[in-house]
Amino acid sequence: MAAVQDIKAIDVFDMTPGMNSEENDKTRADPDSIATRLFLAEFGIEYNGKLEAVVDALKEAVPVGPAGTKLEYGSPNTEMLVLLAEAVTGEPFAQLVDKRIWSKVGADAPPMIHLSPGGVAAAHGVVSSRLRDIARFGMLFTPSWDKIATEQVVSPEIIGRIRNGVRERDFFRKGFDGPVFVSRLNDDTVISNSRQWDGVWEDGDMWKSGLQSQALYVSPDRDLVTVGFPTNAPDDSIHRFLRPIAISGLFDE
């Protein structure tokens, strides 16, 4: 953790910590990578004959280059944000999500945020929810938030930070996942990622994808949310329809 303390929070948000916490095909296949050790710790599987705690696995991450130079997507980064949120608020992450977000949106069901054996929320992806509830979450970023929420959870200031904090195209395309995301979308007009959103466009539309082909696309200016959870993973073709649907003109005022 000593190496992590010098990394700015925004570089963790934007997946560019300059550490060996990147997650890609190579690191997923490496039994000693930080990403793999995180997954083993979360699922209670031994690493080198010993059960490792999530925090201990994350502590082993070391700098490999300057932060902020390229997209280095990694679940360990998201887990660092879980620990940061808990340290700042003094509340368990699952309780925090329910109190500040889920309880406000009239959800059909509670989110199932799965925990490691040590009780750390696996917020990078081991979360289960209903598709309509993901759409409700997306609506928090639109003018129609009041159609589903009891209060404005996502302020215009937050949306502005996401949109205005987008890094340059070169940053997005230098790493492993930027070109993967461009291919997944079949769209090279996406600028970059921003604050855990996998892609942001010039018009401010935002997109998040999941490893099993889950999709969330939000167009605040068009008051549009599109979600998808196909059953034919790892086929990612659903993502190629999201941007064309949004800019088709059908939803322009």
Side-chain angles (χ1 to χ4, degrees):
M1 201 75 72
V4 177
Q5 68 186 10
D6 298 323
I7 306 300
K8 293 180 180 179
I10 186 59
D11 286 327
V12 181
F13 269 106
D14 284 354
M15 299 283 185
T16 180
M19 305 187 74
N20 65 335
S21 53
E22 187 171 5
E23 179 189 347
N24 53 43
D25 292 344
K26 182 179 179 180
T27 59
R28 292 187 193 107
D30 181 357
D32 297 314
S33 72
I34 297 300
T36 298
R37 289 173 65 176
L38 169 66
F39 302 149
L40 294 176
E42 288 176 330
F43 286 97
I45 301 173
E46 292 185 351
Y47 170 70
N48 286 345
K50 173 185 172 182
L51 284 178
E52 200 171 26
V54 166
V55 173
D56 290 336
L58 294 175
K59 282 181 180 179
E60 295 299 309
V62 296
V64 293
T69 58
K70 64 178 180 177
L71 171 62
E72 299 168 318
Y73 191 100
S75 296
N77 299 325
T78 304
E79 284 309 292
M80 284 305 307
L81 294 176
V82 169
L83 299 179
L84 179 61
E86 292 186 340
V88 170
T89 64
E91 299 181 60
F93 185 79
Q95 178 179 311
L96 192 63
V97 170
D98 183 64
K99 184 173 80 172
R100 299 201 178 193
I101 303 174
W102 223 254
S103 63
K104 315 288 187 185
V105 301
D108 290 334
M112 304 298 290
I113 301 178
H114 303 282
L115 307 178
S116 73
V120 179
H124 59 82
V126 195
V127 178
S128 304
S129 68
R130 297 189 179 184
L131 191 61
R132 285 172 58 89
D133 289 341
I134 292 296
R136 289 183 172 97
F137 172 79
M139 287 180 68
L140 294 174
F141 295 82
T142 72
S144 290
W145 65 264
D146 58 347
K147 304 296 191 299
I148 52 93
T150 56
E151 63 181 77
Q152 191 171 24
V153 176
V154 180
S155 67
E157 180 186 7
I158 292 174
I159 295 175
R161 287 182 181 180
I162 296 169
R163 289 173 153 182
N164 299 329
V166 177
R167 301 180 190 239
E168 297 179 353
R169 290 169 55 88
D170 287 347
F171 164 85
F172 190 63
R173 288 154 179 79
K174 279 182 184 177
F176 172 85
D177 278 289
V180 169
F181 291 156
V182 169
S183 175
R184 190 173 294 176
L185 291 161
N186 193 32
D187 185 342
D188 196 32
T189 65
V190 61
I191 304 173
S192 187
N193 63 309
S194 182
R195 288 169 166 77
Q196 295 286 296
W197 288 89
D198 293 335
V200 179
W201 282 262
E202 190 71 39
D203 58 6
D205 285 10
M206 303 174 288
W207 164 74
K208 181 68 182 176
S209 67
L211 189 60
Q212 297 300 315
S213 303
Q214 305 95 323
L216 172 62
Y217 186 101
V218 178
S219 180
D221 291 350
R222 298 181 180 87
D223 204 10
L224 172 69
V225 174
T226 306
V227 296
F229 186 17
T231 58
N232 59 338
D235 179 3
D236 283 319
S237 59
I238 186 174
H239 299 284
R240 300 185 172 211
F241 296 95
L242 304 175
R243 179 68 176 170
I245 289 173
I247 64 175
S248 64
L250 294 173
F251 306 97
D252 294 347
E253 293 184 357

